Amino acid sequence: MNKFMLANRRKQGMTLEQFNYEWGVIHVAVMLTTPSAMQIFRRYVQGYTLADVDGQALAYPLSPQRWDGFASLSFETLDDFARSMEEPDYLVRARPHDFSDPAMVLELTGEEVIFDDLTAPEEDAVKLVHFLRRAPGVGREQFASAWRAGYAAAVTEATRDAKGLVRKYVQNPTLGLEGSPFEGSAYAQGMFGSFGGIEEFFFASRADFDAFTADAGTREFLLKRGAGIVDPDGSFSIVVTDRLRFASAPSPDGASVYCWAPPGLEVRSIPGVWSGPVG
């Protein structure tokens, strides 16, 4: 599975409450009632930034851009993603919905779940996200290879086995992204393809996250393991709570799409999309 991942923030003059409503309710409803989006995208997760995190306790600083959200859309092939930007119903329905500041970070990535012991309810889990910029002179393939090998093994041993605070760890190596698919859209002024990878650390509770970040040795360890492949000055962190906005899967006969959306989002039935559980 591949992902379209982004960091975003509210438009100037918009309150956080307005942004969360436009993004978390209206935007999701538009997506769910756009048939091509349901045909192409398999999972949509929105992360809402925790405002009271001490950036000094993180290995990589919080961004001065003050991001309000972090999101990922999962899809099967890069061709599917490219096609999604050109579908007539997307152009008419989804593209005009403009609610984010044009300053965004946008990446296409793969996905590698290194380990997953997370059983906590979604509303309790906290996620630490690192946007890792490649060190000068390090190519994309070189970064991905070193990151997936020794780095992943060392991080797993130090965070999963030794301390037990990190319950899930995911690496998302970037695939390269340029802006042409987004011409004329709200994404057009975003920052494209600037990072080597995006890593996600999941914690079962805020207390576990606080214990993890309170350990100066952990910060030093992450920086040391990234030395040589990660540019620490160009990397940054986001801390969020996730909300699954929808999941979809083709029906057994391939004639329609099964999709699940959170209770409370009123979505009209549309041809080719059946609202129900995903098996």
Side-chain angles (χ1 to χ4, degrees):
M1 196 65 69
N2 298 298
K3 294 178 180 177
F4 172 50
M5 309 187 83
L6 64 86
N8 62 351
R9 68 186 184 201
R10 75 199 90 164
K11 293 178 70 173
Q12 188 172 5
M14 179 181 283
T15 67
L16 182 60
E17 290 74 16
Q18 289 172 326
F19 172 77
N20 288 344
Y21 178 74
E22 289 287 339
W23 188 40
V25 179
I26 302 301
H27 176 63
V28 176
V30 169
M31 293 283 285
L32 285 165
T33 54
T34 301
S36 67
M38 292 297 96
Q39 292 286 344
I40 292 170
F41 295 114
R42 294 290 168 255
R43 185 177 174 87
Y44 184 26
V45 177
Q46 293 180 338
Y48 293 81
T49 301
L50 296 179
D52 59 343
V53 171
D54 178 9
Q56 299 298 315
L58 304 176
Y60 303 102
L62 297 173
S63 172
Q65 297 284 353
R66 301 177 62 87
W67 304 117
D68 291 317
F70 168 74
S72 65
L73 267 171
S74 300
F75 54 93
E76 293 176 3
T77 72
L78 295 179
D79 286 343
D80 287 339
F81 178 78
R83 179 165 56 88
S84 74
M85 299 290 107
E86 301 174 354
E87 291 287 348
D89 59 348
Y90 172 84
L91 294 175
V92 171
R93 294 179 53 74
R95 177 169 283 198
H97 187 213
D98 182 10
F99 56 92
S100 289
D101 188 278
M104 291 182 257
V105 174
L106 310 165
E107 294 286 354
L108 288 179
T109 77
E111 180 187 51
E112 183 75 25
V113 179
I114 306 302
F115 65 84
D116 184 359
D117 305 323
L118 186 66
T119 59
E122 180 186 70
E123 60 270 17
D124 294 337
V126 172
K127 183 169 72 176
L128 168 63
V129 184
H130 291 157
F131 281 72
L132 301 176
R133 192 182 297 273
R134 289 178 283 125
V138 176
R140 193 175 303 280
E141 292 185 4
Q142 179 186 356
F143 177 92
S145 177
W147 192 42
R148 179 61 185 89
Y151 181 101
V155 167
T156 297
E157 180 179 358
T159 62
R160 180 192 195 183
D161 301 330
K163 301 198 180 288
L165 295 174
V166 177
R167 307 303 171 91
K168 181 178 179 179
Y169 176 51
V170 180
Q171 289 187 337
N172 305 285
T174 59
L175 305 176
L177 177 64
E178 47 88 26
S180 60
F182 304 109
E183 290 180 4
S185 76
Y187 301 121
Q189 297 181 55
M191 183 190 305
F192 303 97
S194 298
F195 296 88
I198 300 171
E199 62 183 358
E200 302 170 283
F201 297 87
F202 293 75
F203 303 86
S205 66
R206 177 62 187 268
D208 281 359
F209 167 77
D210 288 340
F212 179 85
T213 56
D215 185 349
T218 298
R219 295 193 298 275
E220 293 171 3
F221 169 80
L222 290 173
L223 290 169
K224 181 178 179 180
R225 292 307 309 182
I229 62 169
V230 175
D231 172 12
D233 294 329
S235 303
F236 69 88
S237 300
I238 300 179
V239 183
V240 300
T241 54
D242 273 348
R243 294 296 179 265
L244 175 62
R245 289 314 189 190
F246 67 73
S248 70
S251 61
D253 62 5
S256 62
V257 172
Y258 296 103
C259 71
W260 176 91
L265 280 175
E266 296 183 4
V267 181
R268 292 177 298 170
S269 178
I270 56 176
V273 177
W274 174 80
S275 294
V278 177

